[in-house]
């Protein structure tokens, strides 16, 4: 395994996020190879860590000043063993091939855990929608789709949203796809309700994280009632995780964005949450504006070069990192343990560094890894695809109940797989093993392609 990893590192030495994701997976699936010697003979690791297809393209567009801008677009079609490629698009200046490959790699196993027939992919661009007018975002999305449309389709590859890609961007992308192909199909998920979207899709990732965490607590005869929770981020996943925690009787005290975080000791209630939604989704403002409206809260700027994030130093019972990868490091994990946190459940993809996960493990903190805990987003995307194929729409209660069942199921799958390999209660090992075995067996069934 070390040889395989060093070959991957030598081949693409700059892809550190991708190496991190592959390294974690290799460590966790080691025992599976002892039981299945054919996996080694068939070189499944080498095959699974190599994308089936990588698409990189130029995205030229014109800004409001008439200046031509050039961004880079990506789509990594990682694995289609169990279904068409499925995974979001991210628009953020940090996007590069390493980040898209790591997200696509993790997406393969996440999608496998949902039990829905979806392969894994991911894409995006280094375009920054922040501060851009609607017209600029529309022109960018149209040019992006003018290339992407030839690689995707409802039975081939079905993108969705991610950081920087919400309802507005999905609308512009869908409009251009429809014009180019002259067809109205479920080629993107996260669509608006009036033209093919599913109820509960916007809420799904955040609700799903909390449903998963509630299962983790229930396995220890506990609930969210009265528990204090730290949440990072203030976007789609963070907002809906907060909403569901409030529904279940918990107390959310933080939100953040890339500039800083707010701490509201009184707790963020439904009214304050509605303010954050309006601020972030409509006004596209900054989280510091929260304290102008609610002066009882405190805003702290976060230095991008910090060695720890003060958000994670507050006393709490639970923590849910819902912003971005590697946002919670070993020091943060130590601070969480000191502050009394006993459950960490990841809303974002790979937000905890390997050092942080080591600290959780050492101190017996319940740890729900993103690839299991945040699978609710893609699961409801899968349900959106099913509704689009049938040309009908399920009621809200039905989709929500299906989401809840899927999260409950993923929780059991993780625990069962971990127990089967003697790692009782290790959700990370369980998620990696269960997701991996299913995809690998499908690949073996389909021959060397
Ligand atoms: P949004 O764009 O809606 O929100 C992202 C939030 O994270 C914003 O508050 C943003 O702050 C903050 N953030 C982004 N990058 C950084 C950074 N480098 N440092 C600090 N803060 C940052 O995205 P989502 O809520 O959709 O996604 C959040 C995470 O959840 C991502 O890891 C995504 O991959 C994952 N995820 C999303 C799913 C979905 O369905 N949307 C499904 C499963 C996982 P700012 O506004 O300043 O940029």
């Amino acid at each position: 395994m070390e040889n395989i990893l060093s070959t991957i590192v030598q081949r693409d030495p700059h892809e550190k996020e991708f190496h991190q994701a592959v390294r974690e997976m290799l460590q966790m699936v080691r025992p599976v190879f002892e039981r299945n010697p054919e996996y080694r003979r068939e070189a499944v690791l080498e095959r699974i860590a190599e994308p089936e297809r990588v698409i990189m393209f130029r995205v030229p567009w014109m800004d409001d000043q008439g200046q031509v801008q050039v961004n880079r677009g990506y789509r990594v079609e990682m694995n289609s063993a169990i279904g068409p490629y499925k995974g979001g698009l991210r628009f953020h200046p940090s996007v590069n091939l390493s980040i898209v490959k790591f997200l696509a790699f993790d997406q393969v196993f996440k999608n496998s855990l949902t039990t829905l027939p979806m392969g894994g992919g991911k894409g995006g661009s280094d375009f920054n929608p922040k501060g851009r007018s609607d017209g600029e975002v529309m022109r960018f999305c149209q040019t992006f789709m003018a290339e992407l449309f030839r690689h995707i389709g409802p039975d081939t590859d079905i993108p969705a949203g991610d950081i920087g890609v919400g309802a507005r961007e999905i609308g512009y992308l869908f409009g251009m796809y429809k014009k180019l192909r002259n067809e109205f199909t479920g080629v993107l998920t996260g669509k608006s309700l009036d033209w093919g979207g599913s109820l509960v899709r916007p809420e799904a990732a955040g609700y799903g994280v909390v449903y998963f965490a509630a299962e983790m607590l229930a396995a220890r005869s506990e609930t969210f009632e009265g528990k204090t929770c730290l949440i990072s981020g203030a976007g789609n996943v963070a907002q809906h995780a907060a909403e569901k925690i409030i529904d279940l009787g918990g107390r959310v005290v933080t939100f953040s964005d890339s500039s800083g975080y707010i701490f509201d000791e009184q707790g963020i209630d439904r009214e304050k949450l509605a303010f954050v939604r309006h601020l972030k989704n409509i006004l596209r403002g900054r989280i510091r504006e929260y304290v102008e409206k609610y002066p009882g809260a405190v805003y702290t700027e976060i230095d991008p070069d910090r060695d720890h994030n003060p958000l994670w130093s507050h006393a709490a019972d639970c923590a849910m990192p819902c912003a971005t990868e590697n946002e919670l490091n070993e020091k943060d994990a130590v601070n969480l343990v000191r502050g009394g946190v006993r459950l960490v459940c990841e809303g974002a993809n790979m937000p905890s560094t390997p050092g942080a996960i080591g600290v959780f493990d050492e101190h017996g903190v319940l740890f729900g890894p993103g690839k299991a805990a945040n699978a609710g987003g893609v699961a409801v995307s899968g349900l959106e695809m099913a509704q689009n194929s049938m040309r009908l729409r399920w009621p809200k209660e039905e989709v929500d109940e299906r989401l809840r069942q899927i999260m409950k199921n993923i929780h059991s799958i993780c625990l069962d797989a971990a127990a089967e390999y003697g790692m009782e209660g290790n959700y990370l090992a369980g998620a990696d093993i269960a997701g991996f075995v299913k995809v690998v067996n499908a690949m073996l069934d389909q021959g060397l392609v």
Side-chain angles (χ1 to χ4, degrees):
M1 282 190 176
E2 286 310 317
N3 287 345
I4 293 168
L5 189 62
S6 65
T7 307
I8 291 170
V9 171
Q10 274 167 24
R11 185 180 277 174
D12 299 299
H14 306 300
E15 296 183 351
K16 60 182 187 348
E17 292 84 3
F18 179 58
H19 303 155
Q20 182 182 337
V22 175
R23 187 175 293 114
E24 177 209 287
M25 171 60 74
L26 296 197
Q27 277 164 2
M28 291 298 157
V29 299
R30 209 176 273 263
V32 176
F33 279 75
E34 281 150 27
R35 282 201 204 166
N36 298 279
E38 73 278 16
Y39 284 6
R40 200 162 306 183
R41 268 198 317 274
E42 296 283 348
V44 295
L45 281 180
E46 292 89 330
R47 287 157 68 186
I48 215 163
E50 186 65 19
E52 290 179 13
R53 193 174 296 109
V54 174
I55 302 145
M56 266 172 73
F57 50 100
R58 181 178 68 189
V59 191
W61 56 283
M62 195 170 280
D63 69 17
D64 286 346
Q65 284 70 47
Q67 181 73 40
V68 173
Q69 303 281 345
V70 181
N71 287 97
R72 188 173 282 174
Y74 302 88
R75 187 72 183 165
V76 172
E77 296 181 335
M78 199 76 194
N79 194 297
S80 61
I82 60 171
Y85 310 106
K86 178 89 197 88
L89 296 171
R90 177 178 291 191
F91 291 169
H92 192 273
S94 64
V95 167
N96 57 35
L97 191 54
S98 171
I99 292 199
V100 181
K101 276 175 71 177
F102 117 66
L103 289 165
F105 184 74
D106 273 6
Q107 193 82 43
V108 172
F109 309 107
K110 181 189 306 195
N111 293 1
S112 161
L113 287 172
T114 65
T115 70
L116 300 174
M118 298 182 289
K122 201 86 186 190
S125 173
D126 57 358
F127 170 71
N128 187 1
K130 227 178 280 171
R132 292 291 180 187
S133 69
D134 287 352
E136 290 177 315
V137 171
M138 181 181 75
R139 289 195 292 281
F140 174 81
C141 288
Q142 290 177 338
T143 319
F144 184 86
M145 188 51 88
E147 174 58 37
L148 189 68
F149 86 100
R150 65 187 93 247
H151 308 288
I152 62 175
D155 295 318
T156 314
D157 184 353
I158 308 96
D162 190 77
I163 292 178
V165 179
R168 173 182 62 170
E169 290 76 15
I170 292 289
Y172 294 146
L173 291 164
F174 183 80
M176 193 62 179
Y177 180 88
K178 183 165 61 78
K179 184 178 176 69
L180 292 167
R181 281 259 191 246
N182 193 23
E183 62 180 33
F184 196 113
T185 52
V187 67
L188 290 159
T189 56
K191 299 185 289 298
S192 173
L193 285 182
D194 292 335
W195 41 272
S198 173
L199 287 155
V200 193
R201 176 58 190 95
E203 297 88 347
Y207 280 15
V209 177
V210 179
Y211 291 154
F212 190 89
E215 289 296 319
M216 293 168 79
L217 290 171
R220 278 138 192 93
S221 310
E222 289 186 52
T223 68
F224 268 106
E225 188 68 45
K227 291 212 167 39
T228 299
C229 304
L230 307 175
I231 292 186
S232 64
N236 175 287
V237 180
Q239 291 170 20
H240 294 107
E243 181 185 333
K244 192 47 73 180
I245 290 171
I246 297 167
D247 284 351
L248 298 182
R251 192 171 70 106
V252 176
V253 291
T254 58
F255 272 132
S256 70
D257 58 25
S258 51
S259 314
Y261 79 96
I262 57 105
F263 173 66
D264 188 340
E265 194 154 25
Q266 300 304 310
I268 297 162
D269 58 18
R270 281 177 225 284
E271 183 214 304
K272 294 172 178 173
L273 180 59
F275 171 80
V276 171
R277 280 213 171 113
H278 186 72
L279 174 70
K280 283 289 177 186
N281 307 351
I282 311 291
L283 305 178
R284 301 186 189 276
R286 307 304 295 158
I287 200 66
R288 68 171 162 267
E289 294 165 52
Y290 182 97
V291 297
E292 290 160 20
K293 173 88 175 161
Y294 302 107
V298 179
Y299 173 73
T300 307
E301 248 174 51
I302 303 177
D303 173 2
D305 299 322
R306 66 187 188 265
D307 66 350
H308 74 289
N309 182 345
L311 184 155
W312 305 122
S313 304
H314 294 277
D317 304 295
C318 309
M320 300 203 176
C322 297
T324 194
E325 60 274 0
N326 291 326
E327 57 165 312
L328 196 165
N329 65 20
E330 197 171 335
K331 257 194 173 167
D332 297 320
V334 169
N335 287 336
L336 284 174
V337 171
R338 269 199 205 121
V341 164
R342 286 172 298 129
L343 176 141
V344 175
C345 201
E346 296 184 328
N349 285 311
M350 208 169 75
S352 311
T353 63
I357 296 172
V359 172
F360 300 146
D361 204 26
E362 200 182 312
H363 291 86
V365 174
L366 280 175
F367 175 66
K371 66 174 74 100
N374 71 30
V378 74
V380 175
S381 276
L383 302 181
E384 183 173 327
M385 288 159 64
Q387 293 169 81
N388 290 165
S389 301
M390 293 186 286
R391 301 271 193 271
L392 52 77
R393 196 163 93 192
W394 295 327
K396 183 172 181 184
E397 296 68 29
E398 182 172 347
V399 183
D400 194 23
E401 188 47 35
R402 283 177 189 262
L403 168 64
R404 200 192 299 263
Q405 280 307 323
I406 289 171
M407 298 317 297
K408 200 176 162 80
N409 201 17
I410 296 175
H411 178 265
S412 310
I413 291 173
C414 292
L415 282 187
D416 292 349
E420 195 187 330
Y421 285 88
M423 292 181 275
E424 277 77 7
N426 186 335
Y427 290 95
L428 178 58
D432 280 341
I433 290 171
F436 180 83
V437 167
K438 182 173 158 190
V439 174
V440 164
N441 288 342
M443 287 169 73
L444 295 181
D445 288 345
Q446 292 168 23
L448 201 51
V449 288

